[in-house]
Amino acid sequence: MRHKYKVISGVLFLTVLAGLSFKSDNSASVPTNSPAFSEGINTNIRKAFLEVWQQYKSLHSYGFEVVQEQLSASTMQAQPVIDFHNLFGKKRGYRLSLSEKVLDSGDLIVGDLPEEVLKGWFAHELGHMIDYENHSNAGMIVYGIRYSLSDRYKREREHEADSIAIRHGFREEIIVAKKYLLENDFISPAYQSQISKYYMSIRGAELCPDGIAPVLPKVEI
């Protein structure tokens, strides 16, 4: 039964990915004033994101959107925006979607989070996008399937996103964000359990090298 739900999750990921690709193919080109923010986005979110964005210079050549919208299964989601006509190439844009409220937290508003927590969270999500650079557009489909079906692969990718954030100078912010989410009574125990299961521990972040890529374990699906 658990495997069945993972398969469904994988199909949903591909559906979302396809939807984004289709939309990018039938809408205006991504604005040149990248990163572009959705209308009315919280000023605290904008400020924290831009401070983190400055350290991820390899992403600056891409069209990039920060969009606040309703998310059902996450608080923030880093996504490639792919054109179907370039499915087998690497030309793409990126979108960071974020919910108004922290997942499973009641009324905890994302824009009200402490600045260092926001920066740590954004650094992690941009770390995912740097990780995506190792995959072609078609490879991102395989990435999505493996991420949905394999707990071990998901854990590896989440650890790598944290490692990338640390290598970009955000060790303290990553640690602050982890402590906030794991120790805050407003966050549900179920969400905290997921964070502990898949993401780098606080101790791991303290010990993670900041100048070299970590040695990753062999991945098995």
Side-chain angles (χ1 to χ4, degrees), residues 180-195:
Y180 184 88
L181 293 172
L182 292 172
E183 299 172 2
N184 194 320
D185 291 337
F186 289 102
I187 308 297
S188 74
Y191 193 20
Q192 291 173 336
S193 177
Q194 290 294 301
I195 293 171

Side-chain angles (χ1 to χ4, degrees), residues 118-200:
L118 281 174
K119 290 168 69 174
W121 212 328
F122 288 143
H124 173 88
E125 294 301 327
L126 292 181
H128 275 302
M129 295 177 184
I130 296 293
D131 189 29
Y132 294 163
E133 289 296 281
N134 295 315
H135 306 273
S136 67
N137 290 340
M140 282 304 306
I141 296 176
V142 178
Y143 180 111
I145 294 173
R146 296 181 72 185
Y147 187 92
S148 298
L149 297 181
S150 170
D151 284 350
R152 183 170 181 177
Y153 188 73
K154 180 176 180 178
R155 183 174 183 272
E156 178 190 324
R157 303 284 31 103
E158 295 298 346
H159 278 233
E160 177 63 3
D162 277 339
S163 297
I164 291 170
I166 289 169
R167 298 199 298 271
H168 279 72
F170 293 99
R171 182 191 306 278
E172 292 305 317
E173 290 84 353
I174 287 289
I175 292 173
V176 168
K178 289 181 183 297
K179 288 182 177 180
Y180 184 88
L181 293 172
L182 292 172
E183 299 172 2
N184 194 320
D185 291 337
F186 289 102
I187 308 297
S188 74
Y191 193 20
Q192 291 173 336
S193 177
Q194 290 294 301
I195 293 171
S196 298
K197 179 177 180 179
Y198 293 111
Y199 295 76
M200 185 181 292

